[in-house]
Amino acid sequence: MFRFAKNAVNLTGQAVRQVRQVRHGSSAPDFHDKYGNGLMVGGAVFCVAVWTFVVTQTGITWNTSPIGKVMPKEWRESEE
């Protein structure tokens, strides 16, 4: 599976470079060529770090069942 994914990414990268070269007429690296992969990796790392913090440190209870945890109050008859 890893080999397939690696080849697929390589093919799409080659296709993007070919299309960019045909459309723009130059092969000089632009912002996306220089920083695109780094920004994607940095964004993914940041997202994973933030969600890891939220899940482990904030104390939020995520969709747990209230069955057995919520007890009904004792019924009281009103005296009139």
Side-chain angles (χ1 to χ4, degrees), residues 3 8 10 22-23 25 28 30 32 36 39 42 46 49 56 62 67 70 74 77 80:
R3 190 181 310 160
N10 190 24
V22 169
R23 285 191 181 170
D30 62 355
H32 299 288
L39 283 176
F46 177 77
T56 60
W62 299 92
I67 296 174
V70 177
E74 196 66 35
E77 294 286 338
E80 294 179 17

Side-chain angles (χ1 to χ4, degrees), residues 18-48:
Q18 288 174 356
V19 168
R20 184 176 290 143
Q21 189 173 12
V22 169
R23 285 191 181 170
H24 299 293
S26 68
S27 61
D30 62 355
F31 178 83
H32 299 288
D33 291 332
K34 288 182 180 179
Y35 308 111
N37 291 337
L39 283 176
M40 288 289 286
V41 170
V45 168
F46 177 77
C47 183
V48 168

Side-chain angles (χ1 to χ4, degrees), residues 59-73:
I60 297 175
T61 305
W62 299 92
N63 294 328
T64 57
S65 174
I67 296 174
K69 296 179 183 176
V70 177
M71 299 299 292
K73 292 182 179 179

